[in-house]
């Protein structure tokens, strides 16, 4: 199952296949980013070593929202409201 951490995000060691954020933004591929070496060539929510964030996140394909945290709620049909 899916379990968020204490602050409501996917845990920092998340390695599943959720590929959209807590607000429903589609994740952009990690390919070509400085984190690609740790994340691999995919668009799954991750907390790459060295990013220092509070949980798994991803860059989004939305021009106005550069990145967003991921959570279990979105995977189960969360909201699509912008942060």
């Amino acid at each position: 199952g899916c379990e968020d951490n204490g602050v409501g995000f996917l845990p920092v060691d998340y390695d599943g296949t959720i590929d959209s954020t807590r607000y429903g933004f589609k994740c952009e591929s990690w390919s070509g980013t400085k984190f690609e070496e740790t994340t691999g060539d995919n668009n799954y929510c991750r907390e790459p070593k060295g990013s220092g964030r509070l949980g798994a996140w991803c860059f989004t394909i939305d021009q106005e929202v550069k990145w967003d945290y991921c959570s279990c709620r979105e995977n189960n049909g969360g909201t699509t409201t912008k942060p």
Side-chain angles (χ1 to χ4, degrees), residues 19-81:
D19 62 359
S20 57
T21 74
R22 61 190 168 151
Y23 291 113
F25 296 109
K26 190 79 175 160
C27 293
E28 192 169 55
S29 173
W30 294 100
S31 179
T33 72
K34 65 181 180 179
F35 301 116
E36 182 180 7
E37 199 174 304
T38 14
T39 58
D41 182 11
N42 61 64
N43 69 333
Y44 302 138
C45 297
R46 294 288 183 264
E47 199 291 304
K49 195 173 177 182
S51 81
R53 304 210 200 275
L54 301 174
W57 59 280
C58 68
F59 292 112
T60 83
I61 60 172
D62 189 292
Q63 296 296 314
E64 295 173 23
V65 182
K66 186 173 168 130
W67 69 275
D68 189 22
Y69 283 112
C70 303
S71 76
C72 295
R73 287 186 304 281
E74 170 52 32
N75 195 39
N76 298 323
T79 75
T80 51
T81 320

